[in-house]
Amino acid sequence: MTEQVPLQRVIFILPDLSGGGAERVTLNVMRNLNRSQFQPVLFLMKREGVYWNEVPLDVEVIVALEAGERVRRHPLKLIRRLYSLILRDDIVVGALEYDAICLAALSRKLRGCQAIGWFH
């Protein structure tokens, strides 16, 4: 009898689901991850964008700020929300330049998880 290996959570960070190519590529990668090994999670900095219907149904979506809220006015709210999400064994992917990559790097500093900065 083989031992069941727990799924590795992969948390993808995006600013929002705006209609850009990076967002679409991120959703495609999430859609095609091997579900027997990985559990994708989408962390959005803000609840905005046009790609909501393209998020795979089995992907958990965590939103830090509501539409209209500004990141620079609520940075602690954003960081607290991310901190409560990440566990030590997670992989965090900053899936777009600047803010998303900085949050992935911060996740590594705060919780010791694996972090990837993804430049498109």
Side-chain angles (χ1 to χ4, degrees), residues 39-110:
Q39 174 191 357
V41 176
L42 180 59
F43 180 84
L44 297 174
M45 295 163 67
K46 293 192 324 185
R47 186 183 305 277
E48 294 179 353
V50 297
Y51 287 145
W52 286 97
N53 291 336
E54 295 189 33
V55 177
L57 295 176
D58 65 339
V59 170
E60 179 182 8
V61 179
I62 307 296
V63 179
L65 304 174
E66 293 302 318
E69 287 185 292
R70 294 178 143 319
V71 172
R72 68 177 170 217
R73 290 193 182 190
H74 302 284
L76 291 178
K77 182 177 178 182
L78 177 73
I79 292 168
R80 273 192 226 119
R81 189 77 166 128
L82 180 61
Y83 185 80
S84 69
L85 174 66
I86 55 177
L87 304 172
R88 188 159 186 77
D89 62 342
D90 289 330
I91 300 170
V92 180
V93 179
L96 192 61
E97 291 83 10
Y98 311 115
D99 293 343
I101 290 176
C102 289
L103 285 176
L106 182 62
S107 297
R108 176 158 175 77
K109 278 283 200 203
L110 292 174

Side-chain angles (χ1 to χ4, degrees), residues 31-42:
R31 187 175 296 108
N32 290 296
L33 278 178
N34 182 340
R35 295 302 197 269
S36 67
Q37 295 178 335
F38 301 104
Q39 174 191 357
V41 176
L42 180 59

